[in-house]
Amino acid sequence: MPVYALLVTALKDPAHVDVVKMWSLPDGLSLDSFKTVWPQLLPGFRNSLILTVPASLISSLLGAMNGFVLAKWRFPGADIVFPIILFGMFIPYQAIIIPMFQVLKDVGLWGGLDGLILVHIIYGLPITTLIFRSYFSGLPDELIDAAQVDGAGMLRTFFFIALPIAPPAFAVSMIWQFTSAWNDFLFGLILTRTEYWPITVALNNIAGGQTVPFNQAMASALLASIPTLLVYALLGRFFMRGLMAGALK
């Protein structure tokens, strides 16, 4: 029902948008609302793409390294390190926003996208580590032993044995991280300057006024959701396979 309201309102002629007729089909399809909001969304759209792509890739790769070591390359204290990493999943954004702001200010990373990318990489490590640890737990130990017999060390085993068979886990991690970074509002608003605000802030500026142009708000929301829908469409077939990997074991 919300998606239906989103579509019919966004595609109506602006003159025919009315709360009373919100559920009625448009008399004719109109793209005027999209043409109006796209120039306002474009800077935030570009900023969000610059943010989410490297944040998703780097966080997933680092999580894969963590997960492989914790699953297959046991070391003293591994049972302590893993819970400490997972603890980061339970820290709410609001609890760390002030010290994070101060740290980024001190190191000169506040205000731009580089600092925001770093924040999302680090904040995503707990969940990406958990995803890959669960996935690599199902990797047969015989593969690791065979690699060691052939003279491969930890890094070589990871890059030539573990990574090539981990696309499902990468799909889960990438979808999770891309969606999380794309939908972020709080970090993007507080940790960047106006010219680097992500699309969620731009969307809020359109829909958050005293007088809400419903057709523009709906068109903006539809445009803002397209990248995440594309990611799910492209990687969705790997999602459940990667999500359940290691669960039975």
Side-chain angles (χ1 to χ4, degrees):
M1 295 298 285
V3 173
Y4 169 80
L6 179 81
L7 289 172
V8 298
T9 306
L11 293 172
K12 284 179 182 177
D13 186 280
H16 297 157
V17 175
D18 190 343
V19 176
V20 177
K21 300 178 180 179
M22 181 175 65
W23 301 106
S24 61
L25 291 170
D27 297 331
L29 299 182
S30 171
L31 299 178
D32 291 346
S33 299
F34 296 95
K35 295 176 183 178
T36 301
V37 300
W38 179 242
Q40 303 174 56
L41 288 179
L42 182 58
F45 198 95
R46 182 169 53 245
N47 290 335
S48 287
L49 280 179
I50 297 172
L51 161 69
T52 52
V53 172
S56 302
L57 287 172
I58 297 173
S59 185
S60 296
L61 182 60
L62 293 177
M65 294 179 178
N66 288 344
F68 177 70
V69 171
L70 290 169
K72 293 299 180 182
W73 217 275
R74 305 293 295 176
F75 59 92
D79 293 333
I80 299 176
V81 172
F82 185 53
I84 291 175
I85 294 176
L86 287 187
F87 181 71
M89 294 174 57
F90 304 100
I91 301 177
Y93 287 8
Q94 296 85 348
I96 60 171
I97 194 68
I98 294 176
M100 186 176 293
F101 174 87
Q102 293 172 336
V103 168
L104 291 179
K105 272 275 193 181
D106 292 341
V107 300
L109 290 177
W110 179 86
L113 291 175
D114 48 357
L116 189 59
I117 290 171
L118 179 63
V119 166
H120 279 286
I121 289 173
I122 295 174
Y123 218 91
L125 281 178
I127 184 63
T128 58
T129 299
L130 176 62
I131 290 170
F132 281 99
R133 184 181 183 273
S134 298
Y135 186 84
F136 287 135
S137 294
L139 185 67
D141 292 334
E142 290 76 13
L143 283 177
I144 309 299
D145 296 338
Q148 290 178 322
V149 169
D150 290 338
M154 179 175 66
L155 287 178
R156 207 166 173 190
T157 303
F158 172 72
F159 284 107
F160 290 97
I161 303 297
L163 274 188
I165 61 174
F170 265 101
V172 176
S173 179
M174 288 291 295
I175 288 175
W176 183 281
Q177 279 301 99
F178 190 95
T179 305
S180 176
W182 186 270
N183 290 336
D184 170 59
F185 175 81
L186 187 62
F187 284 158
L189 177 65
I190 296 177
L191 302 180
T192 58
R193 292 187 293 271
T194 305
E195 61 268 29
Y196 295 110
W197 277 348
I199 194 170
T200 48
V201 180
L203 182 61
N204 178 75
N205 291 340
I206 293 174
Q210 291 182 346
T211 302
V212 180
F214 289 105
N215 57 310
Q216 295 181 21
M218 298 296 186
S220 301
L222 186 59
L223 289 172
S225 67
I226 288 175
T228 51
L229 292 174
L230 288 176
V231 169
Y232 273 96
L234 294 173
L235 301 178
R237 64 193 183 96
F238 296 106
F239 186 76
M240 287 308 299
R241 198 188 337 162
L243 196 63
M244 296 303 296
L248 296 179
K249 182 174 181 178

